[in-house]
């Protein structure tokens, strides 16, 4: 059992549910290896019944697990259906995760089951899966829109049937941190179970809700690299890992690997991060305005929550009309150009009168032409 907080990375399952994203077998295996090297506690490797290539990739991942190359716990996804459970069990994964929609909306319009029928289906599927000897997690899909008393009954049913973990899924991303805490505060007395939180990002609240879930008793938060997943995705692995380090001093992943993971998943998913994406976006540690850069030069802690080197990232700053003399002097010194105060003012005047961003080459060209004019 996980006793301290950790991350379950679902890039290979939830992440591949992103519109347009399909990984091939070697990409899946490489992503799993990188996630394990980054020390994430759990990897949701896929839903093996979905296709033969997902099945065979999970098989290869399990071979690497058995040889010790992969260390993270490997999880296979499954509906509450015997054929899904059989497929997952045949791979001898570390855990089978059985999901079932438990809100009135899902019961009425998706599975067309009454509450009693749903409880029986969930009980039977979990009992069947645990009879294989493989640990089972139950995911209460759409838990955040489920009556709290019915959710408690569902959790008790899942635990009685043999599940030792239950995932509380905010499937539509409708929670806030307060509402997340309300759910966990109302289920935390149920014995013999630990909780996961699975939060979608439809209204941009997923990461904040993940932190609230951990504070209220969840021990695992589901994430995907770059926040991939159905619609707009779930909690980004890089954001959750940094939140857990900053606010809880928990090492849920090797932070130094976050940039490499993010870049690899950009390449394999074909979905590029906007530069202003938190943590691993190209502008995460790029500073612009003069007052900020002046502070950074004196002490980077003035405008950086963490040293970018801890994240495998680099600090930089841009030069344009927002720059001040300290930024310009620092930039030029980095290029091996040392100018006196009056020359710095002269160059800065030109920059202020040109509405453009100056690359190193632009700056060199401008300084050379100023020198020529003086000759
Ligand atoms: N447990 C049991 N049954 C479930 C379920 C669950 N958690 N969730 C949905 N179902 C049922 C639906 O009621 C529907 O049943 P029906 O066939 O009796 O009408 C069926 O599963 C889903 O419909 P559909 O996807 O059209 O059926 P399918 O048999 O052609 O394909 C999959 C099933 C799982 C193989 C296919 O949907 C697939 O490859 N899905 C990708 C994985 C996925 O959907 N994951 C969601 C994770 S949140
Ligand atoms: Zn999801």
């Amino acid at each position: 059992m996980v006793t301290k907080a950790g991350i379950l990375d679902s890039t290979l399952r939830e992440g591949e549910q992103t519109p347009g994203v399909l990984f091939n077998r070697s990409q899946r295996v490489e992503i799993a290896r990188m996630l394990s090297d980054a020390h994430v506690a759990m990897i949701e490797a896929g839903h093996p019944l979905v296709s033969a290539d997902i099945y065979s990739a999970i098989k290869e991942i399990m071979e690497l697990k058995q040889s010790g190359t992969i260390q993270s716990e490997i999880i296979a996804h499954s509906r509450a259906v015997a054929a899904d459970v059989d497929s997952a069990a045949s791979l001898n994964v570390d855990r089978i995760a059985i999901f079932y929609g438990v809100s009135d909306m899902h019961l009425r319009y998706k599975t067309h089951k009454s509450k009693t029928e749903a409880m029986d289906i969930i009980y039977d599927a979990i009992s069947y899966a645990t009879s294989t000897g493989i640990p089972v997690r139950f995911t209460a899909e759409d838990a955040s829109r489920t009556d709290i008393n019915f959710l408690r009954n569902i959790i008790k049913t899942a635990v009685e049937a043999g599940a030792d973990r239950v995932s509380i899924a905010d499937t539509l991303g409708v929670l806030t941190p307060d509402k997340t805490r309300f759910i966990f505060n109302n289920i935390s007395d149920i014995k013999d179970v630990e909780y996961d939180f699975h939060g979608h990002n439809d209204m941009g609240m997923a990461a904040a809700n993940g932190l609230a879930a951990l504070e209220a008793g969840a021990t695992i938060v589901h994430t995907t690299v770059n926040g991939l997943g159905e619609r707009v995705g779930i909690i980004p692995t890089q954001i959750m890992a940094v939140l857990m380090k900053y606010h809880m001093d928990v090492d849920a992943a090797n932070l130094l690997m976050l940039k490499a993971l993010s870049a690899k998943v950009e390449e394999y998913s074909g979905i590029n991060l906007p530069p202003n994406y938190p943590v691993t976006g190209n502008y995460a540690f790029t500073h612009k305005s003069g007052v900020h850069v002046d502070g950074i030069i004196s002490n980077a802690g003035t405008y950086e929550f963490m040293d970018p080197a801890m994240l495998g990232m680099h600090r930089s700053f841009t030069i344009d009309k927002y720059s001040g003399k300290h930024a310009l002097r620092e930039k030029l010194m980095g290029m091996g150009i040392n100018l006196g105060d009056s020359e710095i003012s002269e160059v800065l005047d030109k920059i202020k009168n040109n509405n453009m961003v100056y690359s190193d080459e632009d700056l060199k060209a401008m300084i050379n032409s100023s020198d020529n004019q003086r000759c």
Side-chain angles (χ1 to χ4, degrees), residues 314-333:
H314 299 286
R315 172 180 310 129
S316 64
F317 51 91
T318 56
I319 297 291
D320 66 14
K321 68 185 179 194
Y322 274 79
S323 301
K325 59 182 182 301
H326 293 290
L328 183 60
R329 185 178 294 112
E330 184 79 4
K331 169 64 87 179
L332 294 176
M333 271 165 47

Side-chain angles (χ1 to χ4, degrees), residues 31-306:
I31 290 169
R33 286 180 73 140
M34 285 182 81
L35 288 167
S36 173
D37 289 348
H39 302 140
V40 302
M42 299 181 181
I43 296 171
E44 208 164 57
H47 185 153
L49 187 106
V50 166
S51 69
D53 71 320
I54 292 177
Y55 185 94
S56 66
I58 301 177
K59 193 159 183 242
E60 195 173 331
I61 290 167
M62 285 312 296
E63 282 160 13
L64 293 173
K65 178 73 200 280
Q66 269 126 33
S67 71
T69 308
I70 285 180
Q71 311 269 316
S72 314
E73 182 175 312
I74 303 299
I75 299 170
H77 221 218
S78 164
R79 288 175 302 169
V81 168
D84 289 38
V85 172
D86 288 342
S87 157
S90 72
L91 288 162
N92 207 16
V93 288
D94 298 320
R95 180 179 294 276
I96 301 173
I98 296 176
F99 65 95
Y100 202 88
V102 294
S103 62
D104 286 349
M105 175 72 86
H106 279 226
L107 293 176
R108 183 176 304 171
Y109 295 105
K110 206 179 72 173
T111 43
H112 316 287
K113 300 293 182 209
S114 69
K115 287 185 171 166
T116 319
E117 287 170 326
M119 297 230 276
D120 288 345
I121 289 167
I122 290 165
Y123 186 90
D124 290 347
I126 296 174
S127 308
Y128 181 61
T130 47
S131 73
T132 65
I134 299 176
V136 174
R137 177 189 94 214
F138 174 68
T139 290
E141 193 187 3
D142 208 15
S144 51
R145 296 193 303 167
T146 301
D147 170 73
I148 192 74
N149 292 317
F150 182 58
L151 183 61
R152 284 179 61 85
N153 288 339
I154 287 284
I155 294 168
K156 287 179 189 163
T157 301
V159 175
E160 269 169 36
D164 65 350
R165 303 200 64 86
V166 169
S167 173
I168 301 301
D170 182 21
T171 304
L172 276 72
V174 297
L175 289 179
T176 61
D178 269 358
K179 289 177 178 170
T180 307
R181 272 184 225 103
F182 173 85
I183 294 175
F184 283 94
N185 289 341
N186 279 280
I187 58 175
S188 59
D189 63 304
I190 301 173
K191 296 210 176 355
D192 303 323
V193 61
E194 287 199 23
Y195 290 109
D196 294 24
F197 176 71
H198 182 94
H200 277 260
N201 203 29
D202 297 69
M203 292 193 250
M205 297 301 280
N209 294 338
L211 195 61
L214 289 173
E215 286 162 358
T219 50
I220 285 284
V221 175
H222 296 193
T223 65
T224 56
V225 177
N226 299 344
L228 298 182
E230 286 279 351
R231 309 182 303 284
V232 299
I234 66 167
I235 305 173
T237 304
Q238 58 265 54
I239 294 180
M240 200 67 226
V242 161
L243 283 173
M244 289 169 77
K245 181 68 186 170
Y246 190 91
H247 292 285
M248 304 172 73
D249 200 23
V250 166
D251 295 306
N254 178 355
L255 303 183
L256 276 173
M257 284 194 61
L258 294 177
K259 178 64 183 171
L261 262 168
S262 176
K264 185 61 74 183
V265 171
E266 273 187 291
E267 181 190 341
Y268 289 171
S269 66
I271 295 187
N272 294 323
L273 292 191
N276 62 345
Y277 199 86
V279 184
T280 57
N282 288 338
Y283 294 169
F285 296 95
T286 302
H287 307 277
K288 167 162 165 162
S289 47
V291 169
H292 285 224
V293 178
D294 178 36
I296 286 283
I297 292 166
S298 167
N299 183 326
T302 50
Y303 288 100
E304 288 173 357
F305 72 93
M306 196 179 269

